[in-house]
Amino acid sequence: IVEKDQFQTLGDLRKQWTESGVETSRATVYRRVQEMGYRCRIPQVKPLLNQKQRQKRLTWATEKQHWTVAQWSKREMPKCLKSSVKYPQSVMVWGAMSAAVNAASYQEILEHFMLPSAEKLYGDEDFIFQHDLAPAHSAKTTGKWFTDHGITVLNWPANSPDLNPIENLWDIVKRKLRDARPNTLDELKAAIEASWASIKPQQCHRLIASMPRRTEPVISAKGFPTKY
């Protein structure tokens, strides 16, 4: 049974044994599974990757495996906020990645928030912008916007949050928000801004410095998801 489906729980196994006429406790099922050489683990949830996506991840990691921390530091990571009032009240946050927006509104965000951030951070220096393959990001009009503004976009493999350190940054923001308990939309927005503002530059530097290490597990796993 275990060999056919490794994701079955002890409860699932006990139920099948009971249906087969074998009455036993959950503890007994656990001991028998251990005696057979299996170990109980909670599987990590990772994005589903098809063969083409795994190959693109592997190619991407191979191309980027010798990038230095200095090169990764030239990725644009702007800070801005876009709100959306719905029921229940919530806000959508944008910072080097976009929430559910269409191509036109995404380009407005780039124009009014990303460009000023890039100007402040880099001045006249060149930089590489990174975003994922959300529809608004990969739209032809968005690609034309970057071309018209002379901005290089980092090629990005699909379904690869483990390669994007901004995901770790969002986790830090969420953990900081756990004790905020906002009651209104304005309080929620203020709490998010305060949480983001409290992130130290050293935390961002550590995440960027992890990029050279992130390519190695992808290559070792032949494009499959990694621990990041």
Side-chain angles (χ1 to χ4, degrees):
I1 293 173
V2 176
E3 289 177 350
K4 287 182 179 180
D5 185 0
Q6 61 179 323
F7 295 112
Q8 294 195 79
T9 65
L10 292 176
D12 294 332
L13 294 174
R14 183 188 178 194
K15 181 180 179 182
Q16 292 188 58
W17 289 10
T18 301
E19 291 173 349
S20 301
V22 181
E23 292 291 340
T24 185
S25 67
R26 188 177 184 279
T28 300
V29 175
Y30 176 76
R31 288 196 298 272
R32 296 295 175 266
V33 169
Q34 293 278 313
E35 290 170 1
M36 294 171 65
Y38 294 105
R39 296 292 179 268
C40 296
R41 297 287 186 271
I42 298 176
Q44 289 186 321
V45 179
K46 297 288 185 178
L48 180 64
L49 295 167
N50 58 37
Q51 184 175 356
K52 185 177 180 179
Q53 290 170 336
R54 294 198 304 271
Q55 184 58 52
K56 286 186 176 181
R57 281 166 54 86
L58 181 58
T59 301
W60 183 93
T62 302
E63 292 174 349
K64 306 296 186 297
Q65 64 178 322
H66 298 304
W67 273 30
T68 64
V69 173
Q71 286 175 291
W72 284 112
S73 297
K74 278 299 183 74
R75 286 195 332 157
E76 165 65 351
M77 300 183 71
K79 176 184 72 174
C80 50
L81 187 86
K82 182 176 177 63
S83 61
S84 175
V85 181
K86 295 183 180 180
Y87 179 82
Q89 288 189 329
S90 63
V91 293
M92 292 182 183
V93 179
W94 186 93
M97 62 172 287
S98 176
V101 296
N102 59 32
S105 58
Y106 180 56
Q107 290 158 36
E108 288 183 11
I109 293 172
L110 295 172
E111 187 79 36
H112 299 297
F113 294 101
M114 189 276 281
L115 287 182
S117 295
E119 177 70 22
K120 182 178 179 180
L121 287 170
Y122 305 115
D124 295 329
E125 291 185 37
D126 291 331
F127 65 91
I128 299 175
F129 187 85
Q130 184 270 319
H131 56 186
D132 58 26
L133 298 182
H137 303 178
S138 56
K140 290 183 179 179
T141 55
T142 300
K144 184 178 183 302
W145 185 93
F146 280 106
T147 299
D148 292 344
H149 287 78
I151 298 174
T152 301
V153 178
L154 182 68
N155 66 306
W156 198 255
N159 291 350
S160 299
D162 55 338
L163 301 179
N164 193 348
I166 195 65
E167 299 293 346
N168 303 99
L169 202 59
W170 289 138
D171 184 61
I172 293 173
V173 170
K174 289 177 181 177
R175 281 188 272 119
K176 288 178 177 289
L177 283 170
R178 285 174 184 167
D179 299 325
R181 309 260 182 218
N183 295 313
T184 67
L185 187 62
D186 287 339
E187 289 180 3
L188 175 59
K189 193 184 299 185
I192 293 173
E193 291 177 332
S195 174
W196 183 276
S198 69
I199 295 174
K200 294 179 170 38
Q202 291 85 348
Q203 289 179 294
C204 295
H205 293 325
R206 283 196 295 270
L207 291 175
I208 293 173
S210 73
M211 288 308 300
R213 298 194 302 273
R214 293 181 188 234
T215 58
E216 297 172 5
V218 176
I219 296 172
S220 299
K222 300 188 184 305
F224 277 98
T226 66
K227 68 176 183 177
Y228 288 95

